[in-house]
Structure formats: C-alpha cells, structure tokens
Amino acid sequence: MAMYLGVVGVGGVGSAFIEQLGRLPNAPELILLSRSSQTLLSPKQDYSPRIPAADWAIAAATPLLIKTGHALSPKEMAEYLASAPGRAILVDTTTDLTLAQAYPLFLQKGISVVTPNKKGFSSDLSLWHAIFASAAQGNALVYHQATVGGSLPVLSTLRDLVATGDEIIRIEGVLSGSLSLLFDQFMPAHGSSDEQWSTLVAHAREIGHTEPDPRDDLNGMDFARKLTILARVIGLDVANPDSFPVESLIPAELSSLPSAAEFMDQLPRFDAQMNSLKDKARNQGKVVRYVGSIDVPTKAIKVGLQHFDEDSPIANLKGSQIISMYTKRYGDMPLILKGGGGGGEITAMAVMADLLKVMGRLN
Amino acid sequence: MAMYLGVVGVGGVGSAFIEQLGRLPNAPELILLSRSSQTLLSPKQDYSPRIPAADWAIAAATPLLIKTGHALSPKEMAEYLASAPGRAILVDTTTDLTLAQAYPLFLQKGISVVTPNKKGFSSDLSLWHAIFASAAQGNALVYHQATVGGSLPVLSTLRDLVATGDEIIRIEGVLSGSLSLLFDQFMPAHGSSDEQWSTLVAHAREIGHTEPDPRDDLNGMDFARKLTILARVIGLDVANPDSFPVESLIPAELSSLPSAAEFMDQLPRFDAQMNSLKDKARNQGKVVRYVGSIDVPTKAIKVGLQHFDEDSPIANLKGSQIISMYTKRYGDMPLILKGGGGGGEITAMAVMADLLKVMGRLN
C-alpha cells in the first residue's frame, strides 16, 4: 500500500532529508511540503501529482500542485494528511514548539511522526505523555532518533536495553557537537592552544558550527533537552529541562543583551575568566570539558564543566559526541557510542533511517 | 493477532533468552522448544497449552504437552510452525549449520527467523542469497543482530547507513571478546604482565571465556565469520570466511591434534614464540592486539595481529569489543561502537531486541 508523506521545514536538515528522499528507491509519496513562506500540496481529489522530491526546490513551478502563500496550521496539515488514501507520515524537520505541541493531534488521526525536533520530547512532561498516549490511541508510530546524538543509535539502543529488561545505572557523555569542538580547540588534550574563547566562538559561529545566536549552544539548554529525553526514555519523570542543574557558559551580565551581535561584541571581556578555568585544570594535569550525566538510582541529572585526564576518551573527542551507558548486564564495561554526530546531512540520515523503520512497520 | 514462537537450543544463550521471554509482557506464544535430546510441542489441534517459558526447565512435566525423545528435523519444525494459527517466528540459539541451511525453507513458509547463529550468514555466499531471497518470497523477516558484536547495535547501524545512502569506506575493530581479554591480560597497555600465554588460555577456558576447544577462538575463524557478515551487509560478495587472509594463533604443529586436552598440554611449548611477539611490540613502544578490517574501495579483508600505541582505544579495551565505521558522511570522525559485547545474557538481550522488532513489524 502506498504511503503518504508530509515534510515540514527546508532548512539544513530538511533540505538534506528531501535530497536523500529523492534518491530513495520505493520512496513514500510526497504530498505536502511546508516552509514558513509557502506550502505545496498535491490536489486533494486523488492526491496527485506528487511533489517531486528530487527537484523540490523548483517544485513550486510544477503545474497542478497547489501553492498556498503561507504555512498551513498544524490542524490543517493533520486534516490534509489524514484524508490521504493510505497511511500518512509527518516528517518535522523544524525546531518549532508549536508544531510539536500538535503531534498528539496528528497521532490520534493515525499519522505517524518522524522528527529530529527536540521540543516535543523535552518540554513539559505532559506533552511527552500526550504524544505516546496519542500514538497508541491512533495506532501510529513516533520515531525521534535524531533528537539525541545526531545519527548515533542512542535512543534505539537505550530503548532496546529497557525493553529487554536490562537495568540502566548511569548515562554520561558529551552530547553537544559544537561545545565538544569548542573545548577541543580551546584546550586540546595534547599540545596547547593560545586561542581566546571569544575568538573560537566567533569563528565557530561564522562557519555555522553554532546556532545563529551562540547563546543557544552556550546556555547548555540544547544539551539539557537531550538529557531530558534520555531520562524519560529510561522512565524518569523529568518535569522539564529547567528542573535540574545546568551550568550556563553565558556570563550573567551578557545573558539579557538583546542581540547576538551585541553578545559577541561583549564576549571578549570574559576571556580572562575562561582562561582561569583552563589554568585551574592544567595545574592539576587535567583538561576541562562540558559534559552531562544521569545517575539513575539517585535520579540526579546535571550538565556542566568537569575536569578529565588528558588520556581519557572524553578529553580526546576532537568534536565528536560520545555517550556511555552503564547497565546491570554490561557491568563495568559500559556500552559506548561515539561519532561526529551532528550536521545537516548526518541528522537527515538519522531521520531517513527512522522513516524507513516506520515504513517497515506500517507496511 | 497472536504470534507463535519456536525456540531451538537451551545452551548459554538459549536458556538466558527463554528466561527473558518468561518475564516479557505480551510475549509471543511459545509452542516449540527444541534441544538435542528432546522437543516439546503444544498439541497441534489448537496449539494449546503453550510451553511455560518462565518454567521451561520443568516444562517437560507439563501435562498435555507433546514430548518427542529426539530433536525434530528442520523440515518437521518448519511444517509445525507454518500451521500455527498466526505468524510464526523461529529463534535459533544454536551454532548449528544444518539448521541454518534450512532457514530458506522456514522463510519461504512465512516463518520469520531471529538468531545469533553466525553459520547461515557467514558460510557459502549462495546460502546468504537464498536466505534473503526466501524472506522476500515468504514475506518473512530475518534479524541476526547478535551475529556480530554481541548486543552492540553493529548490524542495524550499518544497515541504516547503507539504506540511507551513506558510503562505507572502512570498517575495523576487535570483534572477539575472548581474544580482546586474552591480549589485555597478556600485554596490558599500562603496567606489565608476566603471565605465559598458555596459562592465560587455560584459565580463560576454565572459566568459560573460550569455546570448549580454545582453538575455535584462536584460529580466528569466529572473527572471520563476523567480518564476512559485515562485508556482505555492505554489499561485498565474500565467497566464504576462508576467502581472505586470517592469521591463526594456533601453531601449525598443534592444529591437527585430535583433542582440546592434547592441544592444551602442548601449548606451553609455544610460549617463547608468543613472548617474542610481545617483546617485538614493546621494543617499539607498542602493544600487540588481534584485529580485523574491511577496506571497501580495495575490497581487502583481513584478520590478524597488529601493533598499536599504548594510548590508542584498541590497546585499552580490557576485554571489550570495538568497531569503527568510516563513512563518507562521517568523514574523519568515524562512528564507533564499544562495549562488553559477549556473554550469554548480553547475547540473549540482542536476540530479544530483534524479536521485539520482528513482532512490531509483523503486527
């Protein structure tokens, strides 16, 4: 049976995803493609012609496709997809909370959801519960591998451990590719660096390794959202990503500056502070890294700076992400996943792998 | 719809699997349990009562179950399972080639196969092709995650990379838990060891860390079978595990001794040879480890001893397994999976995770 696909967002992940979709054998039928300025739809009578994924950027010129001059509301999208003559799947490649809040609506209508958008799974706990209850109710599937660890199989592995009755004891790691790289450049495990923190942040921002406003990486909230999701998959009821200690790398004085540009202008004032963090670690023969952990027995979750031996795996990530899972069955040899997890194409690959799994299960 | 399960083998992996099955919510119906000496069956009229997985060891005493005084032939098992009033799944926990050669028969009849048995996937290439062609023909599924890397998600990750269009460039790693541990004890990366190789092998054998005949680990064929499977998943047509260089750790003079006991008696004669390997590595500031690799552009596959820096991840496995996947999308930061991959309970967990996925897809 044919499957019908709606894709929202054509940013870095979205455009890479659609490009991969264009090369996929037996791809599902793309009938909805939504961006902030426009939505493309296959006409509703027979949901044909489809949107050509291989040429999506010029698809707006395809005759017979419907073009709206605006983004559809989540409710309109859900109704459109639910009427398709087969199982429908929503691929949300945005970082939009409003769309994520509508996942329960899609799922109740039997539309499965595949997404790298962390918002739905890391905001209020009630939304998390509503998403999975709605999926059960609508007999639909929710796959969100790419919300943690890029395309590293973090969530699927953790879910397998839990489903087969292993007991998770502790999870720790570096789940921010941009902070992993910044700290490697600021204080490499071997050799040394004279670069100032503010210079490195400015450079990372220029080449697109941070969010447009680097404070969205430096405040640790993206990392905290990932830990929230991991903790919930284990079964810990984390209220939201503000409910545990997160060490922000934004100096308090700069947190309320209105623009990213002003923040970047002011950041050099705090280089001395960062250098003293570095010196303190070096005096103990260590390096400083930004890590997160979940200790299951005590339910303690935290994100922040820690010292590591120069030869430890975490000191030598060079921009990779890493996650270690300590479980009852694995004992003192934890299960470790590591890799250059971020980037549009890698994240799109994780979304695509999820889509293939959903298609396999709906078939 | 109810699903029906036949389990073959009650060794280390098999008994751990059945125990996990007994604790599983919504477990499939266990209707066949086969060991070399006996097969238990639910009576064929209505395939009831089921075999109680939680008490499988005393299940033979359950009234109304059919007990045969011998193992059923694969053909008899396939016919029995195919007649069950729902989708059937065969879980093969043996290392039996004969049963593996019958997978196509099961699959053609619509019976899915879940197994840690490497034989079916690493013997003649024609069997590999027959298995997957039969699965497509019978609309059945084949999951064999545990054939490589214990419960590390090696195969599922590799299949995701391939399915989403990434290009695998190189795979390398340590895929034998017993050899990983032996070399760590023989030549630890930090500190030193005076233990003789033969003493370590004898000890590992005593505590069940090697096969009953340690030559089955030391000849490298188990490792070579895993590389064969990995290479085939990438799309390389490897004829069989003898078709590429595998360095055996069995001295030629001892390879044809009739019994494991005689082999163990003779092994100390070769300690000097192993010590000279160790010294040679140490003189270069390195350690020696037993590793395997697949280089995709050249199609070169090999298994054998190599030198590594004392601080390298492979030198510091301490009995863990590790695999690094270099791909086009991951660039110079390979995807790495690491963990204490072996052991009955861990392998059983991987089999169980596969079973849950098959159930999710057949549902």
Side-chain angles (χ1 to χ4, degrees):
Chain A
M1 197 170 69
M3 277 177 243
Y4 295 86
L5 195 65
V7 177
V8 184
V10 291
V13 177
S15 56
F17 171 80
I18 298 169
E19 203 173 295
Q20 290 178 24
L21 187 69
R23 292 195 303 267
L24 191 73
N26 308 314
E29 314 290 348
L30 182 61
I31 56 172
L32 182 158
L33 179 57
S34 179
R35 52 209 298 184
S36 46
S37 56
Q38 187 182 56
T39 304
L40 282 180
L41 296 170
S42 300
K44 214 170 166 179
Q45 303 85 296
D46 57 355
Y47 285 79
S48 163
R50 325 293 193 207
I51 300 164
D55 302 308
W56 68 272
I58 56 159
T62 305
L64 301 176
L65 284 178
I66 298 171
K67 298 121 206 155
T68 70
H70 59 281
L72 260 60
S73 74
K75 188 154 174 284
E76 288 168 319
M77 285 196 268
E79 276 164 9
Y80 173 81
L81 289 171
S83 310
R87 296 300 304 256
I89 304 165
L90 172 76
V91 175
D92 169 18
T93 70
T94 73
T95 56
D96 188 4
L97 175 60
T98 309
L99 181 52
Q101 284 168 331
Y103 291 166
L105 185 69
F106 285 86
L107 293 161
Q108 279 160 21
K109 290 180 185 292
I111 302 159
S112 294
V113 173
V114 172
T115 185
N117 181 354
K118 287 180 273 291
K119 299 282 168 60
F121 308 94
S122 60
S123 301
D124 284 347
L125 183 60
S126 57
L127 179 55
W128 167 275
H129 286 311
I131 287 171
F132 290 99
S134 302
Q137 204 182 319
N139 194 23
L141 300 168
V142 187
Y143 275 62
H144 58 106
Q145 180 92 284
T147 55
V148 181
S151 82
L152 296 177
V154 175
L155 292 181
S156 56
T157 301
L158 195 57
R159 284 209 162 95
D160 280 354
L161 294 172
V162 172
T164 60
D166 200 358
E167 212 173 286
I168 315 297
I169 296 163
R170 188 178 167 78
I171 294 179
E172 58 187 31
V174 173
L175 292 173
S176 162
S178 44
L179 290 176
S180 177
L181 193 61
L182 279 171
F183 276 98
D184 182 71
Q185 293 170 336
F186 183 59
M187 191 173 191
H190 299 281
S192 68
S193 161
D194 294 330
E195 295 284 2
Q196 296 300 308
W197 178 253
S198 62
T199 313
L200 294 170
V201 172
H203 178 66
R205 184 188 179 218
E206 265 163 39
I207 60 174
H209 270 192
T210 69
E211 296 296 316
D213 187 337
R215 287 177 291 188
D216 291 338
D217 291 302
L218 298 175
N219 66 6
M221 283 314 291
D222 184 69
F223 200 141
R225 286 188 179 277
K226 293 170 182 169
L227 282 186
T228 301
I229 297 171
L230 288 174
R232 288 175 178 174
V233 167
I234 304 171
L236 299 181
D237 277 346
V238 181
N240 58 59
D242 295 308
S243 60
F244 51 86
V246 178
E247 185 175 353
S248 172
L249 298 178
I250 303 174
E253 296 91 323
L254 307 190
S255 63
S256 54
L257 287 178
S259 78
E262 284 167 275
F263 170 72
M264 293 307 298
D265 280 348
Q266 299 287 319
L267 194 56
R269 285 173 48 206
F270 294 87
D271 280 336
Q273 204 170 308
M274 288 302 286
N275 286 332
S276 102
L277 279 176
K278 189 202 270 197
D279 294 340
K280 213 165 125 187
R282 187 189 289 130
N283 291 341
Q284 300 173 26
K286 310 261 187 178
V287 298
V288 64
R289 292 293 183 264
Y290 194 79
V291 301
S293 61
I294 301 170
D295 191 67
V296 180
T298 62
K299 299 184 184 176
I301 307 177
K302 60 179 180 181
V303 183
L305 295 169
Q306 275 185 43
H307 290 175
F308 290 89
D309 288 334
E310 288 171 354
D311 288 331
S312 68
I314 285 189
N316 290 278
L317 287 178
K318 299 191 170 78
S320 283
Q321 301 188 29
I322 191 170
I323 186 161
S324 302
M325 307 182 195
Y326 293 84
T327 81
K328 192 175 165 203
R329 288 189 190 134
Y330 273 90
D332 53 4
M333 294 194 286
L335 200 166
I336 297 174
L337 307 174
K338 179 183 161 185
E345 218 184 351
I346 297 254
T347 305
M349 170 165 65
V351 177
M352 182 58 75
D354 273 357
L355 175 64
L356 294 174
K357 290 190 183 80
V358 167
M359 289 171 63
R361 290 186 59 181
L362 293 180
N363 216 342
Chain B
M1 196 170 70
M3 276 178 245
Y4 295 86
L5 196 64
V7 177
V8 184
V10 291
V13 177
S15 57
F17 172 80
I18 299 169
E19 204 172 294
Q20 289 178 24
L21 187 69
R23 292 196 303 267
L24 190 73
N26 307 316
E29 313 291 348
L30 182 61
I31 56 171
L32 181 159
L33 178 58
S34 179
R35 52 208 298 184
S36 47
S37 57
Q38 188 183 57
T39 302
L40 282 180
L41 297 170
S42 300
K44 214 170 165 177
Q45 305 85 297
D46 56 355
Y47 285 78
S48 165
R50 325 294 193 205
I51 300 163
D55 301 309
W56 69 271
I58 55 159
T62 305
L64 303 177
L65 285 177
I66 297 170
K67 297 121 207 156
T68 70
H70 59 282
L72 259 59
S73 74
K75 188 155 175 285
E76 289 168 319
M77 284 197 268
E79 277 164 9
Y80 173 80
L81 289 172
S83 311
R87 297 300 303 256
I89 304 164
L90 171 76
V91 175
D92 168 18
T93 71
T94 73
T95 56
D96 189 4
L97 175 60
T98 310
L99 181 52
Q101 284 168 332
Y103 292 166
L105 184 69
F106 285 85
L107 293 161
Q108 279 160 20
K109 290 181 185 292
I111 302 160
S112 294
V113 173
V114 172
T115 186
N117 181 355
K118 286 180 274 290
K119 298 283 169 60
F121 308 93
S122 60
S123 301
D124 283 347
L125 184 60
S126 58
L127 179 55
W128 167 275
H129 286 311
I131 288 171
F132 291 98
S134 302
Q137 204 181 320
N139 194 22
L141 301 168
V142 187
Y143 274 62
H144 58 106
Q145 180 90 286
T147 55
V148 181
S151 82
L152 296 177
V154 175
L155 292 180
S156 55
T157 300
L158 196 57
R159 285 208 161 95
D160 281 353
L161 294 172
V162 172
T164 61
D166 200 359
E167 210 174 287
I168 314 296
I169 296 163
R170 187 178 167 78
I171 295 179
E172 58 187 31
V174 172
L175 291 173
S176 162
S178 44
L179 290 177
S180 177
L181 194 61
L182 278 171
F183 277 96
D184 183 71
Q185 294 169 336
F186 182 58
M187 189 173 192
H190 299 279
S192 67
S193 160
D194 294 330
E195 296 282 2
Q196 296 300 308
W197 178 253
S198 63
T199 314
L200 294 170
V201 173
H203 178 67
R205 182 185 180 220
E206 266 163 38
I207 60 174
H209 270 190
T210 69
E211 297 296 316
D213 187 337
R215 287 177 292 188
D216 291 338
D217 292 301
L218 297 175
N219 67 5
M221 282 315 291
D222 184 70
F223 200 141
R225 285 189 180 278
K226 292 171 184 169
L227 282 186
T228 301
I229 297 171
L230 289 174
R232 288 175 177 174
V233 167
I234 304 172
L236 298 181
D237 276 347
V238 181
N240 58 58
D242 294 310
S243 60
F244 51 87
V246 178
E247 185 175 355
S248 172
L249 298 178
I250 303 174
E253 296 91 323
L254 308 190
S255 63
S256 55
L257 288 178
S259 78
E262 283 167 275
F263 170 72
M264 293 306 299
D265 280 349
Q266 299 285 320
L267 194 55
R269 285 172 48 206
F270 294 87
D271 280 335
Q273 203 172 309
M274 288 301 287
N275 286 332
S276 102
L277 278 178
K278 190 202 273 196
D279 293 340
K280 211 165 126 188
R282 187 188 290 127
N283 291 341
Q284 300 172 28
K286 311 262 187 177
V287 297
V288 65
R289 293 291 184 264
Y290 194 79
V291 301
S293 61
I294 301 171
D295 190 68
V296 181
T298 62
K299 299 184 185 177
I301 308 177
K302 60 179 181 179
V303 183
L305 294 170
Q306 276 185 41
H307 290 175
F308 291 88
D309 288 334
E310 288 171 355
D311 287 330
S312 69
I314 284 189
N316 291 279
L317 287 177
K318 300 192 170 79
S320 283
Q321 300 188 30
I322 191 171
I323 186 161
S324 302
M325 307 182 194
Y326 293 83
T327 81
K328 190 174 166 204
R329 289 191 189 134
Y330 272 91
D332 53 3
M333 294 195 285
L335 199 166
I336 298 174
L337 307 174
K338 179 182 162 185
E345 218 185 350
I346 296 255
T347 304
M349 172 164 64
V351 177
M352 182 58 75
D354 272 358
L355 175 64
L356 294 174
K357 288 189 184 83
V358 167
M359 289 171 62
R361 290 186 59 181
L362 293 180
N363 215 343

